[in-house]
């Protein structure tokens, strides 16, 4: 049952991007490996830029198609799920990336197909 519309997704993008920037500091990620902290921060900054440039309700300069946006979201989810294995993140750092990756994959997989994507 797919129920996340383009509009709902647009409203989720900004708070998620800001959370990816702030949460690593609030949770104390990366005490032993700053990559565990800054991978999320840089991804959050990129997500904010992607949202601003996406052709959806809250895009400010809509030059990136919504389909490309969803593809980028899916790729980020995969990177987040693999990051703890590739970069040897452990404990809270690993759980943070696994949970965020799974959440993004869930949102993308529940994306409702819309005939009119405007």
């Amino acid at each position: 049952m797919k129920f996340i519309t383009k509009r709902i997704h647009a409203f989720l993008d900004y708070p998620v991007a800001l959370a990816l920037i702030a949460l690593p500091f609030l949770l104390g990620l990366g005490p032993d490996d700053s990559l565990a902290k800054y991978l999320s921060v840089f991804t959050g900054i990129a997500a904010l830029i992607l949202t601003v440039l996406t052709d959806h309700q809250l895009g400010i300069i809509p030059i990136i198609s919504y389909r490309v946006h969803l593809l980028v979201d899916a790729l980020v989810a995969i990177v987040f799920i693999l990051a703890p294995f590739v970069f040897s993140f452990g404990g809270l750092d690993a759980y943070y990336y696994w949970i965020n990756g799974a959440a993004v994959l869930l949102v993308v997989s529940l994306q409702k197909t819309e005939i009119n994507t405007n």
Side-chain angles (χ1 to χ4, degrees), residues 13 17 28 30 57-58 64-65 70 74 79-80 99 117:
D13 279 341
Q57 286 82 353
L58 298 179
I64 296 174
S65 77
L70 290 175
V79 167
F80 272 24
I99 290 167
T117 58

Side-chain angles (χ1 to χ4, degrees), residues 6-52:
K6 184 177 178 181
R7 182 175 177 81
I8 291 170
H9 190 114
F11 281 101
L12 291 172
D13 279 341
Y14 285 103
V16 167
L18 295 175
L20 288 172
I21 295 167
L23 280 175
F25 297 101
L26 296 173
L27 296 173
L29 294 186
D32 300 321
D33 184 353
S34 62
L35 181 59
K37 179 184 296 181
Y38 290 107
L39 176 60
S40 180
V41 173
F42 293 136
T43 302
I45 293 167
L48 191 58
I49 294 167
L50 178 66
T51 300
V52 167

Side-chain angles (χ1 to χ4, degrees), residues 36-97:
K37 179 184 296 181
Y38 290 107
L39 176 60
S40 180
V41 173
F42 293 136
T43 302
I45 293 167
L48 191 58
I49 294 167
L50 178 66
T51 300
V52 167
L53 298 177
T54 297
D55 183 16
H56 61 29
Q57 286 82 353
L58 298 179
I60 297 169
I61 306 168
I63 58 175
I64 296 174
S65 77
Y66 186 61
R67 287 183 184 199
V68 169
H69 179 110
L70 290 175
L71 177 62
V72 171
D73 282 353
L75 291 173
V76 165
I78 292 166
V79 167
F80 272 24
I81 290 168
L82 294 177
F85 301 108
V86 173
F87 300 117
S88 301
F89 297 161
L92 179 62
D93 296 344
Y95 290 117
Y96 174 84
Y97 284 98

